Amino acid sequence: MNEKVRSVVVGTGSVLPKRVMRNQDFEGIVETSDEWIRQRTGIASRHIAGDGETTVSLAEEAARRALSAAGLEPADIDLIVLATATPDNTFPASAVQVQAALGISHGFAFDVQAVCSGFVYALTTADLYLKSGMARRALVIGAETFSRLLDWQDRTTCVLFGDGAGAVVLEAHSGGETEDGRGIIVSRLRSDGAHCEKLYVDGGPSTTGTVGHLRMQGREVFKHAVGMITDVIEASFEAANVGPDEIDWFVPHQANRRIIDASAKKLGIAPEKVVITVDRHGNTSAASIPLALDAAVSDGRIKRGDLVLLEAMGGGFTWGACLIRW
Ligand code: UT7
């Protein structure tokens, strides 16, 4: 491991399916209301994949946009790490399907499965490959079509999720290039499988032979979320010797506005530094952080030199945080 190497984000990209579903559109499907969904979650609308839109097709488009923002070609990439819980096929990995779609036949590509924490896990994994010298430029993608896992009769889950994809290009910088301190500074990952029945899918190739549907004890997940999120962030602060005041942008996983606000408050991060997209994306699982990152980069909020804090928590439970000098 070369500690002098830093993995620097040199481009971001994202894409959302064309179809927008507003809270009001659920009112004829399940017993719910726009008011309940807004108050309890902060969600107003989400995008839902249509015919021809899949995890791989969304991931490919997000990757192309990230490459274009970085001024790079697919041939410049030698590693693809794709976080998803909704792959196009049980195998091969969606990452190799994206690799083929981009016309890349060198390097290597694989999927990471950590549900809503998938992007933080994928970014940390790619960072370690770059630091090890096994790869030089990585595409890290979070892509999901959770709408296809939902039980559309279950009002406690179907209103919460959306589809989309986001990607970043990570580049290994070494020696003098790292003097400006850019790149991933620290990551911390956690999991505790004792909580697996609180958020899971009730099917799979080795059990039912079907894809299954998402099941969640929402209140139970909520109960653990803020504590787990703040613990792993505080561990990251300590490892990097930084405090909440030094954070320029907090880009949390977008599951519920109340969880985001409570976490920021507990950590002492000012509300104006928090990037929010849950209102218009819903919970897009592994895609939520790269979608939010790209939104805040595209509108000029996140700028070179900013200290950016990422955080996620989800099924498993899995959770993690990442500090990046942009
Ligand atoms: O990304 C992975 C991590 N996932 C999360 O972070 C999700 C964490 N959990 C949550 O965000 C929240 O727990 C929910 C948004 C899922 C639910 O909010 P809550 O404030 O915890 O509500 P609740 O589950 O305690 O339900 C309150 C009531 C229940 O009725 P009763 O039992 O009090 O009569 C539910 O049946 O709200 C009812 N309810 C609904 N009502 C209208 C549940 N879903 C709906 C709905 N519309 N869609």
Side-chain angles (χ1 to χ4, degrees):
M1 212 56 66
N2 186 346
E3 289 303 329
K4 286 208 176 110
V5 171
R6 276 279 185 88
S7 305
V8 176
V9 178
V10 294
T12 65
S14 67
V15 67
L16 292 156
K18 285 181 204 73
R19 181 177 163 217
V20 176
M21 194 167 173
R22 300 163 309 137
N23 290 347
Q24 292 82 348
D25 300 327
F26 282 92
E27 289 175 3
I29 301 174
V30 287
E31 206 183 317
T32 190
S33 64
D34 176 43
E35 193 198 353
W36 189 96
I37 302 169
R38 274 179 203 266
Q39 271 183 6
R40 301 289 178 130
T41 71
I43 299 167
S45 63
R46 74 288 288 141
H47 291 249
I48 301 292
D51 289 348
E53 289 175 323
T54 70
T55 292
V56 169
S57 75
L58 296 169
E60 180 196 347
E61 184 56 29
R64 287 192 186 281
R65 292 180 186 186
L67 284 168
S68 163
L72 295 170
E73 298 295 330
D76 297 319
I77 297 297
D78 53 9
L79 169 64
I80 301 174
V81 188
L82 190 155
T84 190
T86 48
D88 277 26
N89 300 83
T90 302
F91 77 82
S94 293
V96 299
Q97 298 183 53
V98 171
Q99 185 189 25
L102 293 174
I104 305 172
S105 54
H106 61 274
F108 58 112
F110 60 92
D111 287 358
V112 161
Q113 212 313 18
V115 206
C116 297
S117 308
F119 187 76
V120 173
Y121 271 62
L123 200 63
T124 304
T125 305
D127 178 37
L128 294 174
Y129 277 107
L130 263 50
K131 285 203 169 94
S132 79
M134 273 182 74
R136 170 141 180 76
R137 281 199 200 91
L139 262 172
V140 184
I141 307 169
E144 302 277 19
T145 44
F146 256 52
S147 63
R148 298 193 171 130
L149 275 184
L150 298 175
D151 174 352
W152 287 87
Q153 306 301 314
D154 176 10
R155 69 175 183 172
T156 69
T157 54
C158 72
V159 302
L160 304 175
F161 295 90
D163 302 331
V168 304
V169 179
L170 270 190
E171 190 171 76
H173 286 196
S174 55
E177 288 175 316
T178 60
E179 278 166 17
D180 55 5
R182 292 179 74 203
I184 297 177
I185 297 167
V186 70
S187 297
R188 285 289 178 272
L189 303 181
R190 291 292 323 276
S191 69
D192 183 354
H195 298 283
C196 61
E197 82 291 351
K198 296 188 178 97
L199 174 50
Y200 70 106
V201 169
D202 63 5
S206 187
T207 48
T208 58
T210 61
V211 172
H213 288 120
L214 182 146
R215 305 292 173 205
M216 178 164 75
Q217 299 170 28
R219 210 174 307 182
E220 283 298 308
V221 180
F222 198 112
K223 219 166 68 187
H224 289 87
V226 177
M228 287 176 163
I229 289 165
T230 51
D231 276 359
V232 79
I233 290 175
E234 274 160 2
S236 306
F237 282 171
E238 200 181 316
N241 196 25
V242 302
D245 294 346
E246 290 164 75
I247 300 299
D248 293 299
W249 295 107
F250 179 36
V251 186
H253 169 51
Q254 311 280 321
N256 185 314
R257 180 72 200 245
R258 289 187 292 148
I259 294 175
I260 295 172
D261 290 348
S263 304
K265 191 170 175 202
K266 193 167 171 200
L267 288 160
I269 297 173
E272 60 274 15
K273 294 179 172 179
V274 185
V275 176
I276 302 284
T277 50
V278 69
D279 54 334
R280 55 191 196 277
H281 295 173
N283 180 349
T284 57
S285 184
S288 89
I289 292 175
L291 274 162
L293 269 177
D294 189 45
V297 168
S298 304
D299 68 18
R301 275 178 289 172
I302 297 180
K303 294 179 294 297
R304 191 178 173 132
D306 283 351
L307 188 59
V308 178
L309 170 65
L310 314 183
E311 155 281 304
M313 185 266 178
F317 294 148
T318 55
W319 64 109
C322 208
L323 269 170
I324 307 172
R325 180 69 65 186
W326 208 257

